[in-house]
Amino acid sequence: MTVRYEELSVEWLGYATARLETDGGPVVYTDPGRYGVLDDYWARDGDLVLVTHDHHYDSDGIRSVASEDATVVIYEAVDPAGIDRDVEPIDALAADYEVVRVGEEDRVDVGTPAGEVRVWSIPAHNDPEGPNADADGSVAHPPGFGCGYLLSLGGRTVFWPGDSDALDGFAELDVSVFLANIGGGGIVSDRREAADLAEAMGPDLVVPIHYDTFDLLEADDEAFAGDVASRSIPVALDARSANQ
């Protein structure tokens, strides 16, 4: 199922991978790949690919979605040498695509044949004093490990926080579509925290992703949708992708 919001379409392909497209405009992918979500997917139509952190760096996934002229935006701390999976070095990707490394608070204007996409990287992490921290303050996604992205395309803004808590600062963003991470599991915001953030943020539409990929990320998407809708915020589910 593809979720439509005016001229913008959102398709959740599984895990952290969402495909965004405007009518006649650019195609953007968030964190493509892992856990088999793109095993039978070879679109290679992406004008822009965004990678938030090591856990979502999958060179095969990138190659399955990126067009020949794609720009791949990768957070600066992503280091394939430290990833315990079979992935390509970033230099290998840079031989075939335009690769841009970004810090926590950068802006990149990406020109594509279908129009420009403006991208802001956003600090995103687990708070060492927050709900996903151990007693000693250790977290799965410490500050500086990854980022989130706010992007503007087709006159709308889309926010993907990556693997993060529902940080207070997110509420200050001007967001049209919120790709809500509701997987919980002690590593990211859960459905209740994401619903509270949606209320504080006030987006035009919420689309939950990054849940039910494996047991740790099990979440009740219908309960989340009901919670968000009860706060007078539109929400749409792509249940097909959640159960693949």
Side-chain angles (χ1 to χ4, degrees), residues 31 52-53 56 124 147-149 159-164 179 181 188 210:
D31 286 327
T52 58
H53 67 293
H56 290 324
C147 72
Y149 290 107
F159 178 49
W160 165 231
D163 284 9
S164 177
L179 301 178
N181 189 335
V188 298
H210 195 281

Side-chain angles (χ1 to χ4, degrees), residues 1-234:
M1 182 183 78
T2 299
V3 173
R4 295 282 305 183
Y5 168 58
E6 297 181 351
E7 74 280 7
L8 178 67
S9 65
V10 180
E11 183 178 7
W12 180 36
L13 299 174
Y15 197 36
T17 307
R19 181 185 184 277
L20 311 168
E21 182 180 16
T22 60
D23 292 341
V27 174
V28 180
Y29 287 89
T30 63
D31 286 327
R34 296 202 69 190
Y35 299 108
V37 300
L38 296 179
D39 281 357
D40 299 317
Y41 193 87
W42 194 252
R44 303 188 70 181
D45 60 348
D47 298 296
L48 172 62
V49 180
L50 305 173
V51 179
T52 58
H53 67 293
D54 277 3
H55 299 160
H56 290 324
Y57 178 75
D58 179 351
S59 49
D60 287 344
I62 292 170
R63 290 189 180 278
S64 74
V65 302
S67 69
E68 291 183 356
D69 299 322
T71 297
V72 184
V73 176
I74 303 176
Y75 180 57
E76 64 184 2
V78 172
D79 180 12
I83 296 175
D84 61 354
R85 293 176 277 113
D86 185 15
V87 294
E88 296 178 59
I90 291 173
D91 286 348
L93 288 178
D96 297 315
Y97 310 106
E98 179 73 22
V99 173
V100 179
R101 305 299 296 269
V102 294
E104 280 191 325
E105 298 184 72
D106 285 337
R107 171 180 149 182
V108 180
D109 296 335
V110 179
T112 79
E116 184 179 78
V117 183
R118 186 166 293 172
V119 180
W120 294 266
S121 55
I122 306 294
H125 54 265
N126 298 135
D127 184 349
E129 297 181 358
N132 291 312
D134 292 336
D136 63 357
S138 60
V139 291
H141 307 95
F145 183 69
C147 72
Y149 290 107
L150 179 70
L151 57 144
S152 175
L153 69 164
R156 297 290 180 265
T157 55
V158 180
F159 178 49
W160 165 231
D163 284 9
S164 177
D165 293 344
L167 301 176
D168 291 343
F170 293 163
E172 304 302 317
L173 301 174
D174 181 8
V175 176
S176 303
V177 178
F178 174 30
L179 301 178
N181 189 335
I182 67 169
I187 55 174
V188 298
S189 57
D190 63 20
R191 66 174 180 85
R192 294 175 180 83
E193 293 157 353
D196 288 343
L197 174 59
E199 182 176 29
M201 184 183 293
D204 298 327
L205 178 67
V206 178
V207 181
I209 69 172
H210 195 281
Y211 65 95
D212 287 357
T213 310
F214 44 85
D215 289 346
L216 184 66
L217 299 181
E218 184 177 351
D220 188 334
D221 57 341
E222 293 186 357
F224 171 76
D227 191 359
V228 173
S230 72
R231 309 176 196 218
S232 300
I233 300 171

